Amino acid sequence: MEQIFVIAPFSEEEKQKLCAAAPLCRVFFLSPEELESRIGEADMIVGNPPPALLRRAGRLRLLQLESSGANQYAAPGVLPAGAQLACATGSYGPGIAEYLIAYTMSLFLRLPAYHDNQKQGLWRDEGPVRSVAGSVALSVGMGDIGGEYARRFYALGGTVIGVCRTARRKPEFVKELYRFEQLDELLPLADVVALSLPETPQTVGLMDARRLSLMKPGSILLNAGRGSAVVTDDLLDALRSGHLGGAGLDVTAPEPLPPDHPLWKEPNCIITPHISGGRHFAITRQRIFSICLENVRIFALGGTPTNLVDRSTGYLRSRP
C-alpha cells in the first residue's frame, strides 16, 4: 500500500479530507523529525522537507510543495530519479498582489516619510505625491502574482505593460505584452517596475546596475519573487543617488538581510521579511490546501498530477 507523508500544517478537518481523498493509501501526518526517520518509506510527500533529506527518499514518486517557488527542489540531484515535483503556484497571487499594491501606494504617497515624522512628533508636509491613475507599471513576470498585481493596478486607473517568458494571450487589463528580450527598452517607460519571478539562471542578477540605470528617474522597484533577481548593492546605490524614488522589497539577497545592512536605513525603502507569500491570508491557505488535496486524490488514482514543475526551467509544465 502506497504511503503519503504530510508535513504541511493542515487543520483536523483538512486532514480528514486528505485521508478521504486517498482511501487506498496510508496517509500519515508527521513532524519534520518523524519524516527524517521515515523518509525512505514515502511514496508521496506533501510539504517542504529539507532538500538534502530527499536524497534518501528512494521510493518517492511525487513531492507536492506548499510553496510556489520550487528552485531548491528542481536542482539536479535533489529528487530521486523518476520522482515528480509539483508546487502550489496559483495560491499566492491575490495575497502577494495586495502587498505589492500597498508598497506602491505607500511610496507614491510618501507614507514612509510621514511614518518617520510621526515617530519624531513632526507635523511637516512632505510635498507632492503621485497617483496610480495615469501611472505606468511594468509587471515583470505575468504568472499568478504578476497578473493579480496588474489587475489591481489597472483597476486603480493605471496602465500596465506585461513582460513574460513566453508568448501568451494578452489579458484585457494589460495594455501591451512583451517578451523578456525586450525588457531593456521597456524599463524607461515605467513609473513602477514590479518583479514576481522564480529563481532561474536567467533571473539571477536581472536588475543590476545597468538595468537599474535604465529605469525612469524617480520610479520605484518592487520585488516579491526572489531576492536574487536584484543586485542589492546596486539597488542601494540607485536609491542613494536619487535615481530611483523608492523600493518595496519582500525578498532580498542575502536573505535574511543582515541587521547592519545599510538598506534597512534607506528612507524610501520598505522591507518586509518574506511574508507576503506566507499563509497569512485565508484565501492563500484555502488555495494551497485545494491544490494539495487534488494531487493527493490524483496520486491515489494513478493519474497525472496538476501543477507539475519543469525542473529544467523552474516554471510550470502546463504553461506555454
Side-chain angles (χ1 to χ4, degrees), residues 167-234:
R168 64 178 65 186
R169 189 175 67 178
K170 183 182 74 65
E172 63 180 10
F173 48 84
V174 173
K175 181 179 181 181
E176 297 169 318
L177 199 59
Y178 294 93
R179 301 283 290 276
F180 267 93
E181 293 79 8
Q182 296 165 285
L183 178 61
D184 287 5
E185 62 193 81
L186 299 172
L187 288 170
L189 307 178
D191 300 290
V192 184
V193 175
L195 309 177
S196 56
L197 300 167
E199 183 174 304
T200 71
Q202 292 72 38
T203 64
V204 172
L206 181 75
M207 296 304 294
D208 55 10
R210 184 184 69 81
R211 284 205 172 96
L212 291 169
S213 71
L214 294 176
M215 288 178 60
K216 186 178 182 179
S219 62
I220 64 174
L221 177 70
L222 310 178
N223 189 11
R226 287 293 179 264
S228 59
V230 179
V231 179
T232 304
D233 289 344
D234 292 349

Side-chain angles (χ1 to χ4, degrees), residues 33-310:
E33 294 74 24
E34 290 170 329
L35 177 67
E36 184 173 0
S37 66
R38 299 182 60 182
I39 190 71
E41 305 170 32
D43 297 293
M44 176 181 182
I45 296 174
V46 180
N48 287 45
L53 186 62
L54 294 168
R55 295 187 178 93
R56 295 197 279 115
R59 283 175 48 174
L60 188 67
R61 290 169 45 209
L62 176 63
L63 172 61
Q64 171 62 60
L65 301 176
E66 57 180 313
S67 65
S68 177
N71 56 294
Q72 295 182 70
Y73 300 93
V78 173
L79 292 179
Q84 294 180 303
L85 176 63
C87 69
T89 290
S91 303
Y92 295 93
I96 297 179
E98 292 196 19
Y99 275 93
L100 288 170
I101 287 293
Y103 302 145
T104 303
M105 300 292 286
S106 294
L107 291 165
F108 272 18
L109 299 175
R110 301 185 182 273
L111 295 188
Y114 285 111
H115 187 249
D116 289 342
N117 291 350
Q118 177 183 333
K119 289 185 289 185
Q120 301 176 63
L122 294 178
W123 189 276
R124 183 170 68 195
D125 191 322
E126 291 294 336
V129 296
R130 288 181 279 176
S131 173
V132 170
S135 297
V136 176
L138 187 64
S139 184
V140 185
M142 283 296 293
D144 180 40
I145 297 167
E148 291 287 351
Y149 174 71
R151 186 190 303 275
R152 287 160 174 76
F153 194 90
Y154 173 79
L156 291 169
T159 298
V160 180
I161 300 172
V163 179
C164 53
R165 181 176 59 95
T166 57
R168 64 178 65 186
R169 189 175 67 178
K170 183 182 74 65
E172 63 180 10
F173 48 84
V174 173
K175 181 179 181 181
E176 297 169 318
L177 199 59
Y178 294 93
R179 301 283 290 276
F180 267 93
E181 293 79 8
Q182 296 165 285
L183 178 61
D184 287 5
E185 62 193 81
L186 299 172
L187 288 170
L189 307 178
D191 300 290
V192 184
V193 175
L195 309 177
S196 56
L197 300 167
E199 183 174 304
T200 71
Q202 292 72 38
T203 64
V204 172
L206 181 75
M207 296 304 294
D208 55 10
R210 184 184 69 81
R211 284 205 172 96
L212 291 169
S213 71
L214 294 176
M215 288 178 60
K216 186 178 182 179
S219 62
I220 64 174
L221 177 70
L222 310 178
N223 189 11
R226 287 293 179 264
S228 59
V230 179
V231 179
T232 304
D233 289 344
D234 292 349
L235 174 60
L236 180 63
D237 290 342
L239 289 169
R240 284 179 166 176
S241 71
H243 176 66
L244 292 188
L249 310 172
D250 188 51
V251 289
T252 60
E255 192 172 295
L257 192 67
D260 60 347
H261 197 285
L263 195 60
W264 284 110
K265 299 186 182 301
E266 275 302 299
N268 292 320
C269 186
I270 300 172
I271 301 172
T272 50
H274 204 152
I275 45 79
S276 69
R279 289 172 163 263
H280 303 82
F281 284 93
I283 190 173
T284 301
R285 297 192 298 271
Q286 293 163 4
R287 288 185 176 198
I288 292 170
F289 176 71
S290 294
I291 290 170
C292 293
L293 179 65
E294 178 66 5
N295 271 349
V296 164
R297 184 189 67 79
I298 292 172
F299 178 81
L301 294 174
T304 301
T306 65
N307 271 39
L308 286 175
V309 176
D310 182 341

